[in-house]
Amino acid sequence: MRHGLFFSMLLLSSVSLASPQIPGLFDAHLHYNADQVKMYSPVDIIRILDQNEVNTAVVTSSPISLALQLHQLAPNRIIPFLGLYQTDKDKQAWHQDEELPVRVAQALKDPAWRGIGELHLFAEHRHSPIFERIALLADSHDLPLLVHTDPVVIDRLFEIATNITVIWAHGGAYPYPELLNDYLKRYPNLYIDLSMRNERIAPEGMLDPEWELLLMEFSDRFLIGVDTYSTQRWQHYSALIDTTRHWMDQLPLEVEMAIGRENVLRLFQSRPEKTTTTVN
Ligand SMILES: [Zn+2]
């Protein structure tokens, strides 16, 4: 049985991996939601990560218990982020939910949480007092805030809390190297996850020269991920991580190591988990 599993994993690895330049990636942007559990159990999720030589991952979930379940199954590998959405509608309306900051403060009593998000916010809602309170909670707990948002919201975040750590999902709403260069220069605690941007970074698989320069200049500030917001994304996980690996392999090894693993490891090593948690 064990041998059977071993060989099937070996086979899957050889299919999905074209001799990776670096093993043990860190996926900094995973979702594991109620609709995905029907197809993938927590054990299945860990198996997918294993098959793709992804050692560690940030996982956010709705309901929040799912990220904790995965963390409990693989405590050294899963970094749970506190998701704030109970239903799909919350994605648009959370910044008007007066009760949300209280619920978040309550949830953060569990020391298992290592970050907050993903939060979606358009520029016109950046002065929401709810947003401000969530940002202040992230800052006071020294937790990174994962945001999917417009550039001006990033400015607003650092206005609210100068020292907050922000992970800007997908390189922001306008992922242009020149714009990102400007933001990275201005905000030393800003990190950028490159999930969903394979086509821009490497059109037809070839690393774009402007992106290459940006990744080299700020090699300590980028993270990678697959952003499994849908079941379909989990189904295509191997292909998506391979595409990401393909452009990363075109970078110098130390830059690839930084982006593929070391940057995000450093982010959490400087904020160790306080105690272990239990899931009821
Ligand atoms: Zn996402």
Side-chain angles (χ1 to χ4, degrees), residues 29 31 118 227:
H29 192 143
H31 297 265
E118 176 183 19
D227 185 24

Side-chain angles (χ1 to χ4, degrees), residues 39-98:
M39 191 172 271
Y40 298 108
S41 70
V43 171
D44 293 333
I45 297 294
I46 300 299
R47 190 179 300 130
I48 291 173
L49 299 182
D50 283 343
Q51 285 164 355
N52 290 283
E53 294 201 33
V54 173
N55 280 3
T56 329
V58 162
V59 179
T60 182
S61 66
S62 167
I64 61 172
S65 57
L66 290 173
L68 291 180
Q69 270 179 41
L70 269 182
H71 171 66
Q72 206 171 45
L73 186 65
N76 297 323
R77 300 179 62 183
I78 301 297
I79 304 278
F81 269 34
L82 178 64
L84 305 192
Y85 306 156
Q86 288 169 311
T87 70
D88 273 354
K89 264 189 2 206
D90 292 342
K91 197 168 173 176
Q92 277 83 44
W94 66 268
H95 57 90
Q96 298 165 331
D97 179 357
E98 304 272 343

Side-chain angles (χ1 to χ4, degrees), residues 122-182:
F122 288 116
E124 64 260 38
H125 298 130
R126 69 189 181 280
H127 294 293
S128 147
I130 310 295
F131 174 53
E132 180 169 345
R133 285 169 68 191
I134 301 295
L136 290 172
L137 278 168
D139 186 44
S140 64
H141 285 76
D142 193 25
L143 295 173
L145 187 63
L146 172 63
V147 287
H148 179 153
T149 198
D150 295 328
V152 73
V153 179
I154 299 294
D155 295 311
R156 175 72 191 132
L157 268 173
F158 287 106
E159 229 172 70
I160 296 169
T162 322
N163 292 318
I164 190 171
T165 298
V166 176
I167 303 174
W168 200 0
H170 324 304
Y174 308 99
Y176 302 111
E178 211 176 330
L179 183 141
L180 297 181
N181 186 308
D182 175 49

Side-chain angles (χ1 to χ4, degrees), residues 177-201:
E178 211 176 330
L179 183 141
L180 297 181
N181 186 308
D182 175 49
Y183 272 78
L184 288 165
K185 272 200 187 108
R186 281 192 286 139
Y187 302 121
N189 291 336
L190 176 65
Y191 291 80
I192 291 179
D193 104 43
L194 298 168
S195 59
M196 288 177 64
R197 298 303 187 204
N198 286 337
E199 268 309 304
R200 277 178 181 269
I201 297 166

